[in-house]
Amino acid sequence: MKDVYLFSGFLGSGKTTLLMNTIRQLKEQNLKPAIIMNELGALNFDSQAIEENIPLKEMLNGCICCTGAEKTEAQIQSLLADSEFDVLIIETTGAAHPVEALDAVYSPLFANELNIKGIVTVADSKRWLEREGMSIQTRSLFLEQIRHAHLILANKMDLLTESERAKVTFEMQNINSHALIIQTTNASLPIKYLQRLQATARPASIQQATIGEHLHLGSRLVTFNSEESFTQEKFEEWIKTLPNSVYRMKGFVPIEGIRNPMLFQYAYGLTQWLPEYVKMEPNLVIIGENVNELELPKA
């Protein structure tokens, strides 16, 4: 499986510097990286710093977390088909909401090929202390990027006093008690901290699924066996039992009387069923908080 990291954070926080540092360390370990860079504008100047021998896909004029979700899936499929790599790093635009960015990466089409290691949020520590001066929308996004991270880099610590450093760390820890927070300058991070992350629950039989580690925001891949099938009514009854901490589900669900598993999507309480004319592997990706603890549906 290919390890995948999502780098989150506002423009100027240090994401690209972290990307360059990570690429260098991966190459020192003889691991081949591939990169997807997302930018809202028509030109991505950051991509010019990527070496020519590293597989690179760019998403311009759109955010990975909204209209770019289908493009992200296509880019990943293209990389898997055409490039040799060990690790995929996705640098999101500063406007990306972490949950939406994570959703764009998960697809039942290649769920068995990717190991989502986690969301790494790079936070400008000085900007954090000045966040009350931001617009409500920008401040809210900043808090969401902190709250849903698996690893937080409190960056630009060299610009703060000792008491300010302590304040930043304490406040971020209050927002997200699950994530490791590391104080950094120039986004300098030993790669061992990335490689310890694990946001993806391992595939399990729907009858033998086990509770894994306690995670904040993550995913779970449920694989249905060939004998299992559901009625739409029974499956949706199960959906009604789910907590609000389940944000997204998508996959191919076997339905009684239907030849091929149906394409199923769920987002914030709303469901969609679509016929699938090609027989796809019956599986379901669940995205949310503490998804390993969910009671799964029974056929």
Side-chain angles (χ1 to χ4, degrees):
M1 296 180 76
K2 317 287 188 183
D3 288 344
V4 183
Y5 300 94
L6 278 84
F7 288 178
S8 172
F10 283 128
L11 181 69
S13 62
K15 291 197 307 292
T16 302
T17 304
L18 173 63
L19 176 63
M20 298 301 143
N21 291 339
T22 302
I23 289 173
R24 173 182 53 79
Q25 294 182 79
L26 287 170
K27 295 180 75 172
E28 289 172 356
Q29 295 184 351
N30 293 319
L31 295 173
K32 297 180 180 179
I35 313 297
I36 292 178
M37 301 188 78
N38 181 210
E39 184 53 63
L40 289 174
L43 294 173
N44 192 341
F45 294 101
D46 288 341
S47 67
Q48 297 175 17
I50 304 297
E51 298 175 29
E52 291 184 3
N53 63 341
I54 294 177
L56 169 68
K57 299 289 184 180
E58 295 178 275
M59 292 177 54
L60 306 178
N61 280 326
C63 179
I64 187 175
C65 62
C66 38
T67 57
E70 291 184 0
K71 293 180 182 177
T72 304
E73 182 175 308
Q75 298 282 41
I76 293 174
Q77 283 186 291
S78 176
L79 281 172
L80 289 170
D82 303 333
S83 304
E84 288 189 11
F85 64 96
D86 303 301
V87 178
L88 173 61
I89 302 173
I90 301 174
E91 182 186 334
T92 66
T93 173
H97 187 290
V99 174
E100 307 292 338
L102 197 65
D103 176 55
V105 178
Y106 284 114
S107 169
L109 296 177
F110 43 70
N112 285 312
E113 298 181 65
L114 300 181
N115 176 32
I116 312 299
K117 298 287 282 184
I119 295 172
V120 181
T121 293
V122 185
D124 183 328
S125 298
K126 190 170 182 61
R127 182 179 287 185
W128 172 265
L129 293 174
E130 299 169 350
R131 66 190 182 280
E132 293 304 320
M134 298 176 175
S135 68
I136 294 175
Q137 294 86 350
T138 303
R139 185 168 67 250
S140 176
L141 179 59
F142 201 174
L143 293 173
E144 289 293 283
Q145 290 178 346
I146 295 296
R147 188 168 82 86
H148 290 296
H150 299 94
L151 174 65
I152 300 168
L153 271 62
N155 199 31
K156 304 188 180 182
M157 279 288 170
D158 54 317
L159 303 179
L160 305 183
T161 65
E162 186 174 343
S163 62
E164 286 175 332
R165 294 172 190 171
K167 179 179 174 64
V168 167
T169 305
F170 178 76
E171 290 178 347
M172 289 183 180
Q173 195 74 67
N174 277 342
I175 299 295
N176 185 346
S177 61
H178 302 271
L180 175 65
I181 300 176
I182 300 178
Q183 298 181 355
T184 59
T185 297
N186 296 324
S188 180
L189 179 74
I191 198 168
K192 65 181 180 181
Y193 291 107
L194 293 177
Q195 293 173 332
R196 289 172 183 169
L197 294 175
Q198 186 58 65
T200 301
R202 296 300 182 188
S205 161
I206 196 168
Q207 294 147 321
Q208 301 174 349
T210 57
I211 304 300
E213 297 178 24
H214 178 73
L215 297 172
H216 191 40
L217 176 65
S219 77
R220 182 175 184 176
L221 174 62
V222 178
T223 302
F224 305 105
N225 64 46
S226 57
E227 290 78 29
E228 290 173 313
S229 62
F230 306 87
T231 64
Q232 275 186 240
E233 293 76 14
K234 190 170 183 179
F235 200 83
E236 295 206 10
E237 283 297 320
W238 168 71
I239 292 167
K240 293 176 183 177
T241 69
L242 297 176
N244 292 334
S245 56
V246 174
Y247 303 126
R248 293 278 195 274
M249 288 189 288
K250 53 187 176 182
F252 300 97
V253 179
I255 297 297
E256 291 180 9
I258 306 294
R259 180 176 180 180
N260 296 324
M262 293 188 70
L263 173 61
F264 170 77
Q265 297 194 59
Y266 168 94
Y268 299 105
L270 300 176
T271 61
Q272 181 182 39
W273 296 89
L274 293 172
E276 179 56 56
Y277 300 103
V278 177
K279 186 170 179 61
M280 305 298 292
E281 289 297 319
N283 58 36
L284 182 70
V285 176
I286 307 173
I287 302 170
E289 299 178 24
N290 302 321
V291 291
N292 283 357
E293 300 172 10
L294 292 177
E295 184 80 23
L296 295 176
K298 295 179 174 59

